[in-house]
Amino acid sequence: MATTFDHGGGVRSVAVPIPDNPLGHTLVYVVESDRGPVLVDTGWDDPGSWDTLVAGLAACGTAVGEVYGVVVTHHHPDHHGLSARVREASGAWVALHPADAAIVRRTRETPPERWYTYMAAKLTAAGAPETHVAPLRTLRPRPLPGLSPALPDREIVPGELLDLPGRRLRAIWTPGHTPGHVCLHLEEEHPARLTGHGRLFSGDHLLPGITPHIGLYEDPDDTTVTDPLGDYLDSLERIGRLAPAEVLPAHEHTFTDAPGRVRELLDHHEERLAGLLALLAEPLTAWQLATRMEWNRPWEQIPYGSRNIAVSEAEAHLRRLVKQGRAEAVTGSEPVAYMAV
């Protein structure tokens, strides 16, 4: 049984389950247009998730074969996973920002063992103990979720209107969670006439109760030193200034007062950076920092894969502190340790 909701003004949502994930589901938005429904995201590539999406579209008074287009907020498998199946069933176009489209191409072309080697090298450089890195050297390559995502056939151009005949849906580039994450601004009066500027499909960029993961942009072949947390904070401020009447996120629930939520998240990250600076009174590697940071459970209880994500998040915060001149690498340290300035 699909859970659907009518948000008014030709916008509905379908809650598409994410298997074995505490987030529970992705909210796939169904936006009416003069050429048929356009989906914002599609959900996880799983038979049960597909059945829910198909049933949900029927409950919304349409069908998967009627879909005109798919706008993907970012490349993660709980958002982009079912895009290929929707396109096969309907002939719909699939649009993604070029930075995330590049990740999709690379993911499809890179053999799994290359990723394992890359991850092992990254974790070793971050100071992870050999006991943690060793499994990556011995893993037999197996298909991972999202390793053959759909190649998009259209690029999302920031600042431009998307192809939704009869509607005004504008793309806003909001890098941070991924390099090509976009929010989508429906530039139409709110159906309940709430004050503010239209409605915002926020993907994972702005969520009502949780903060999205901000880690490093992973690319085995790109040595550019990026600043994902800096990108995210800048993008947040841009969305705060937009002041939409209502935010329709990909997880949890819709909400109002986007500027207030943006302030909360900016304050949260500033507090976190200040807390890390206190820890960096002594030299610490990214791994050591991750083990001392506050997570939603003690480090001993964090599963293997989540520890890798935690280290990436620690590194993103370290890069921000270094860029701000508040911390620096300790000369000659191997693996690299950092200290507050």
Side-chain angles (χ1 to χ4, degrees):
M1 181 64 188
T3 303
T4 62
F5 188 81
D6 188 347
H7 300 272
V11 177
R12 293 174 173 82
S13 61
V14 181
V16 177
I18 312 169
D20 305 318
N21 189 294
L23 277 175
H25 58 261
T26 302
L27 293 170
V28 172
Y29 292 96
V30 186
V31 185
E32 292 172 12
S33 86
D34 291 347
R35 293 284 296 277
V38 172
L39 304 186
V40 175
D41 292 333
T42 57
W44 190 272
D45 184 8
D46 174 80
S49 305
W50 170 253
D51 291 345
T52 301
L53 178 62
V54 170
L57 289 170
C60 290
T62 184
V64 71
E66 302 294 314
V67 174
Y68 173 60
V70 174
V71 188
V72 184
T73 59
H74 62 296
H75 73 86
H76 286 161
D78 55 325
H79 297 259
H80 185 39
L82 285 170
S83 300
R85 288 199 69 174
V86 171
R87 181 164 60 192
E88 284 163 19
S90 63
W93 47 262
V94 175
L96 193 63
H97 185 280
D100 274 21
I103 294 173
V104 165
R105 273 193 299 277
R106 196 169 58 245
T107 301
R108 291 169 65 95
E109 293 161 6
T110 305
E113 51 270 31
R114 173 86 171 92
W115 282 111
Y116 291 131
T117 306
Y118 169 72
M119 285 296 296
K122 290 276 293 181
L123 285 161
T124 301
E130 180 57 27
T131 49
H132 182 86
V133 180
L136 289 167
R137 304 190 210 282
T138 55
L139 277 170
R140 297 279 65 82
R142 60 185 174 87
L144 295 169
L147 273 189
S148 55
L151 282 169
D153 36 71
R154 295 191 181 185
E155 286 192 344
I156 293 174
V157 182
E160 291 197 0
L161 290 173
L162 286 133
D163 177 18
L164 275 74
R167 310 296 300 251
R168 291 183 62 84
L169 187 68
R170 194 177 302 277
I172 304 169
W173 185 31
T174 50
H177 182 56
T178 71
H181 191 292
V182 293
C183 292
L184 304 155
H185 187 208
L186 192 59
E187 299 177 337
E188 301 167 6
E189 186 177 33
H190 191 281
R193 299 184 183 267
L194 297 182
T195 54
H197 302 105
R199 290 184 280 179
L200 186 79
F201 301 102
S202 66
D204 281 358
H205 182 67
L206 192 62
L207 301 167
I210 53 177
T211 59
H213 165 67
I214 309 295
L216 300 187
Y217 301 147
E218 301 294 0
D219 182 351
D221 303 310
D222 188 353
T223 54
T224 311
V225 179
T226 56
D227 178 18
L229 183 54
D231 292 344
Y232 178 65
L233 299 175
D234 289 346
S235 302
L236 270 182
E237 293 194 8
R238 197 155 62 248
I239 293 302
R241 289 192 294 271
L242 186 68
E246 187 177 25
V247 179
L248 286 70
H251 305 289
E252 300 188 303
H253 54 82
T254 60
F255 61 102
T256 56
D257 191 19
R261 181 61 181 143
V262 164
R263 279 193 302 275
E264 285 177 7
L265 287 166
L266 292 171
D267 290 347
H268 162 79
H269 282 287
E270 184 45 51
E271 281 170 24
R272 200 145 201 227
L273 289 166
L276 300 197
L277 269 184
L279 291 172
L280 292 172
E282 58 174 319
L284 296 175
T285 64
W287 175 273
Q288 289 169 328
L289 187 63
T291 65
R292 289 163 172 77
M293 285 168 72
E294 274 190 36
W295 305 103
N296 59 1
R297 57 193 131 170
W299 184 257
E300 299 70 40
Q301 294 173 22
I302 296 178
Y304 184 88
S306 300
R307 288 187 178 193
N308 297 340
I309 293 169
V311 173
S312 183
E313 199 155 312
E315 289 189 282
H317 282 75
L318 278 169
R319 283 201 187 171
R320 180 91 288 251
L321 289 170
V322 169
K323 195 155 188 182
Q324 291 175 327
R326 298 160 81 184
E328 62 186 17
V330 177
T331 311
S333 56
E334 184 69 39
V336 181
Y338 296 85
M339 264 194 92
V341 173

